[in-house]
């Protein structure tokens, strides 16, 4: 049985990935500073370790053949636009130490989760943005300290592969969403935050839903099940350059709110308030994804949001007693 480590296994994508790998017959160690918040982990072994520390990284990577490195100090726009020093410090330590420890422990394959935040700000200043191709990342002007660190670790992975022969794989996620992710507290991302706001509007009878900015900023959103398929296909492939993983259907944040309200079967009144909006427009160019993996995300935004909304509405009911 192949032994793998998933870091960030207490987080949204990490905990789903543990279950996905278990279903495929792997022995899985999960590591995080916290256990999954909403469901029990299905990992064979789960260790609470702070991966900013070198000794913990050595412990985490012992006796495994593969590493999926998902641990990161991260959140939605509200968080990543206001915690630059912490994010750069924490994530750089996590990634420097995890990759070096993996090398020392003889790990053969290493999966790194980068982000669309590596793409230059100067290509994302319009709502009708041209979809981003992998090679657009340079000349570099990433978004926030979060994006700079992702780009730095992409380079680190590339050099470890060239210098030490460890097979690194690099994915650039574009807005992954789904059930069992953070939906309140300041680290939630737009789809979860909007599902929560629409659920509160529906259950409280007050239809006002706050949107940061004018809501015309554009994004694409990819459902978690497609994300897991993409991660696994890329890890098993021989493709070592960074690869986009996302949907290429772009919607505005206003449209996203309307789709969720329709799913909830409720009327909302959008109230535009000041707030961090990130880049003006962003979309994934999936040309290379299709070429490399012979596949692209297939779950529609409506289907993914219906599953996510149902779970978040249940969470809101349970927590706030509606
Ligand atoms: P998440 O915040 O739910 O999961 C990250 C996990 O890392 C958390 O459980 C957190 O506790 C853990 N972590 C943080 N600091 C740690 C430390 N010092 N030691 C050990 N664990 C630590 O985020 P996610 O959405 O599951 O994202 C997973 C990965 O994908 C991250 O690297 C993230 O940057 C990347 N990513 C996610 C998205 C997205 O849309 N969700 C987009 C781009 C990139």
């Amino acid at each position: 049985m192949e032994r793998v480590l998933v870091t960030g296994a207490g987080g949204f994508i990490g905990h789903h990935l543990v279950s996905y790998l278990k279903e495929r017959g792997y022995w899985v160690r999960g590591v995080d500073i916290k256990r999954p918040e909403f469901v029990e982990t299905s990992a064979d072994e789960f260790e609470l370790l702070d991966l900013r520390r070198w000794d913990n990284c050595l412990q985490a990577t012992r006796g495994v053949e593969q590493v999926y490195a998902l641990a990161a100090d991260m959140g939605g726009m509200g968080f990543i636009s206001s915690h630059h020093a912490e994010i750069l410090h924490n994530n750089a330590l996590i990634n420097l130490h995890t990759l070096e420890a993996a090398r020392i422990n003889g790990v053969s394959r290493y999966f790194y989760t980068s982000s669309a935040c590596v793409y230059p700000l100067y290509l994302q200043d319009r709502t009708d943005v041209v979809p981003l191709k992998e090679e657009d990342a340079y000349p570099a002007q990433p978004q926030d300290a979060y994006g700079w660190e992702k780009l730095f670790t992409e380079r680190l992975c590339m050099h470890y592969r060239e210098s030490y022969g460890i097979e690194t794989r690099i994915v650039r996620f574009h807005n992954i969403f789904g059930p069992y992710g953070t939906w309140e507290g300041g680290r939630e991302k737009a789809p979860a935050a909007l599902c929560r706001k629409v659920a509160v509007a529906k259950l409280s009878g007050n239809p006002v839903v706050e949107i940061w900015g004018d809501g015309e900023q554009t994004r694409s959103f990819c459902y978690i099940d497609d994300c897991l398929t993409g991660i696994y296909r890329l890890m098993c492939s021989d493709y070592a350059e960074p690869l986009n993983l996302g949907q290429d259907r772009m919607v505005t944040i206003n449209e996203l709110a309307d789709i969720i309200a329709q799913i909830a079967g409720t009327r909302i009144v959008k109230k535009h308030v000041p707030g961090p909006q990130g880049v003006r427009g962003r979309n994934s160019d999936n040309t290379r994804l299709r070429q490399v993996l012979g596949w692209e995300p297939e779950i529609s935004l409506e289907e993914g949001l219906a599953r996510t909304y149902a779970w978040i509405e249940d969470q809101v009911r349970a927590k706030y007693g509606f």
Side-chain angles (χ1 to χ4, degrees):
M1 214 191 254
E2 205 158 9
R3 292 169 68 91
V4 305
L5 164 68
V6 175
T7 77
F12 166 52
I13 302 173
H15 116 268
H16 282 286
L17 182 61
V18 167
S19 305
Y20 183 93
L21 293 169
K22 280 304 301 168
E23 283 162 18
R24 276 150 194 83
Y26 289 85
W27 181 94
V28 182
R29 176 183 301 134
V31 165
D32 202 300
I33 40 170
K34 65 173 174 70
R35 297 191 77 85
E37 213 175 318
F38 307 106
V39 277
E40 205 26 68
T41 181
S42 41
D44 295 279
E45 199 174 277
F46 193 98
E47 294 186 326
L48 288 171
L49 295 171
D50 184 340
L51 295 174
R52 288 172 300 181
R53 284 180 46 168
W54 165 243
D55 53 343
N56 286 344
C57 289
L58 273 179
Q59 182 176 331
T61 53
R62 75 194 187 284
V64 296
E65 285 103 56
Q66 299 186 356
V67 172
Y68 290 86
L70 277 72
D73 194 1
M74 71 92 77
M77 269 318 302
F79 182 77
I80 69 165
S81 64
S82 58
H83 292 76
H84 303 296
E86 272 167 75
I87 287 174
L88 188 47
H89 173 265
N90 291 343
N91 292 345
L93 285 179
I94 291 170
N95 288 316
L96 281 163
H97 286 157
T98 309
L99 184 52
E100 173 64 2
R103 180 183 80 84
I104 300 261
N105 276 323
V107 166
S108 57
R109 221 163 246 258
Y110 191 96
F111 191 94
Y112 176 59
T113 50
S114 184
S115 164
C117 290
V118 301
Y119 288 114
L121 295 174
Y122 60 79
L123 293 179
Q124 304 173 83
D125 54 3
R126 295 167 24 181
T127 54
D128 60 341
V129 63
V130 176
L132 295 156
K133 288 186 182 1
E134 285 78 358
E135 58 269 30
D136 291 335
Y138 298 95
Q141 192 194 7
Q143 184 188 357
D144 295 323
Y146 176 76
W148 279 105
E149 192 281 332
K150 290 289 186 196
L151 198 62
F152 162 79
T153 300
E154 286 190 3
R155 312 276 324 166
L156 191 71
C157 289
M158 190 184 86
H159 291 303
Y160 264 61
R161 183 172 56 83
E162 288 166 357
S163 299
Y164 304 126
I166 178 167
E167 283 296 334
T168 52
R169 300 288 176 266
I170 302 165
V171 76
R172 291 180 184 154
F173 290 146
H174 289 250
N175 297 310
I176 312 303
F177 73 98
Y180 308 111
T182 304
W183 56 275
E184 65 169 355
R187 285 186 186 247
E188 66 279 19
K189 305 189 85 184
L194 285 172
C195 284
R196 183 197 72 232
K197 290 178 187 183
V198 170
V200 170
K202 174 181 168 180
L203 299 171
S204 69
N206 174 1
V208 175
V209 165
E210 288 191 350
I211 308 267
W212 289 348
D214 66 1
E216 290 304 305
Q217 58 273 36
T218 50
R219 294 291 185 279
S220 67
F221 298 94
C222 176
Y223 189 64
I224 182 69
D225 290 6
D226 276 333
C227 171
L228 299 171
T229 307
I231 290 175
Y232 191 63
R233 284 183 178 235
L234 178 56
M235 183 62 143
C236 297
S237 79
D238 57 7
Y239 190 75
E241 300 298 319
L243 192 66
N244 283 335
L245 177 48
Q247 280 279 5
D248 56 5
R249 170 183 167 197
M250 197 164 64
V251 295
T252 67
I253 296 299
N254 286 328
E255 286 166 343
L256 186 69
D258 289 337
I259 296 170
I260 296 170
Q262 201 170 15
I263 288 166
T266 195
R267 185 184 72 90
I268 58 167
V269 175
K270 294 195 270 300
K271 182 180 170 193
H272 297 282
V273 297
Q277 297 167 55
V279 294
R280 193 65 180 148
R282 174 176 290 159
N283 195 6
S284 174
D285 183 315
N286 284 351
T287 310
R288 188 157 315 155
L289 177 72
R290 285 189 290 268
Q291 279 166 2
V292 171
L293 302 187
W295 167 92
E296 69 184 311
E298 35 200 39
I299 298 164
S300 73
L301 181 59
E302 283 77 4
E303 192 181 336
L305 283 173
R307 296 183 205 170
T308 309
Y309 178 79
W311 178 76
I312 291 181
E313 190 185 297
D314 282 349
Q315 296 291 307
V316 170
R317 275 182 205 280
K319 180 143 188 198
Y320 296 108
F322 284 113

